[in-house]
Amino acid sequence: MAAALDTARRSGFHRLHWTMLAMGALCRAVQGRLDEAAALVDELAGSWTAVPALASGEWIAAAGWAASLAGRKPAARVRAMLDRVGHRTPWSEAALRTVTGALAGFDDNHRHAAELHLAAAEIYAGIPDVTDRMLALTFAVRELAAAGDHATPARGRVAQAATGVAGAVVGVGWALSCWA
C-alpha cells in the first residue's frame, strides 16, 4: 500500500491520489490502525478541498467508511467535505449518510445512526453497489445492537445480500463479523 500511495501522490492526477488515499484509509481502518487512517483522511480532505471537484464514486464511499471507523474527528472532516459538495450524486449522498450516521453513533444516538445507515444502504442498492450496501447494512445492525434492538430486519437483509454475492464480495467475512 505504501508504494501505491507514493505512486498516487507523485502521479499528478487528483482522482488517482484521492482514490488511493481513501482506499488506503479504509485499509488502515479495517486493520485497526486508526491513527494512520485518520491521517490519510486528513490528507484526502486537504487535497480535495484545494481542488474543488465532484466527490466521485471512485473514492467517496471508501472515505466515508474509513472516516466512520477511524473516529469522530475523521467522520466530521468527511462530513464537512460533503457539506461543500455542489453537485450531489448517489455516492456523495450515501457517504453523507454514512458519516452522519457515524457521528450520531458517537453521540450515542444509535437508532438514528441505524436509520442513516439503512438510508445509505437503500441508495447503494439503487446504484447498484453491493459491497457498500452490505457495509451500510452491517453498520446499521451494529448501531441497532448498540441501541438494544437485536431482532431487526437489517440482519436478514445483510445475510440475504451476503448469500447472493458471497463469492464476489471481498470483505463479506469482515462485514458479517462486525455483528456476529
Side-chain angles (χ1 to χ4, degrees):
M1 193 182 80
L5 275 168
D6 183 55
T7 299
R9 287 176 177 129
R10 290 183 294 110
S11 73
F13 294 100
H14 296 294
R15 287 190 189 274
L16 174 61
H17 185 210
W18 301 332
T19 299
M20 191 57 224
L21 288 170
M23 295 297 178
L26 180 56
C27 179
R28 292 301 185 233
V30 169
Q31 292 173 332
R33 297 161 69 172
L34 303 183
D35 290 342
E36 291 176 54
L40 291 169
V41 167
D42 281 344
E43 183 180 344
L44 169 62
S47 177
W48 181 80
T49 302
V51 184
L54 182 72
S56 70
E58 298 154 347
W59 58 269
I60 196 59
W65 297 123
S68 295
L69 290 168
R72 171 181 287 289
K73 184 178 175 191
R77 186 86 193 256
V78 172
R79 169 66 198 248
M81 288 171 60
L82 290 166
D83 284 344
R84 294 181 51 168
V85 171
H87 176 73
R88 300 260 183 219
T89 67
W91 293 272
S92 65
E93 289 293 330
L96 180 61
R97 283 163 182 75
T98 297
V99 293
T100 304
L103 291 169
F106 293 134
D107 290 337
D108 293 326
N109 191 348
H110 300 293
R111 288 195 192 282
H112 183 59
E115 291 169 6
L116 288 163
H117 290 304
L118 288 171
E122 291 304 314
I123 293 169
Y124 286 126
I127 293 174
D129 179 340
V130 175
T131 303
D132 289 314
R133 178 175 176 245
M134 291 225 11
L135 289 171
L137 291 171
T138 300
F139 276 56
V141 168
R142 182 182 68 178
E143 292 296 341
L144 287 168
D149 185 352
H150 298 285
T152 173
R155 280 186 188 261
R157 288 164 51 193
V158 171
Q160 181 182 18
T163 301
V165 296
V169 176
V170 175
V172 168
W174 171 81
L176 294 175
S177 72
C178 289
W179 56 271

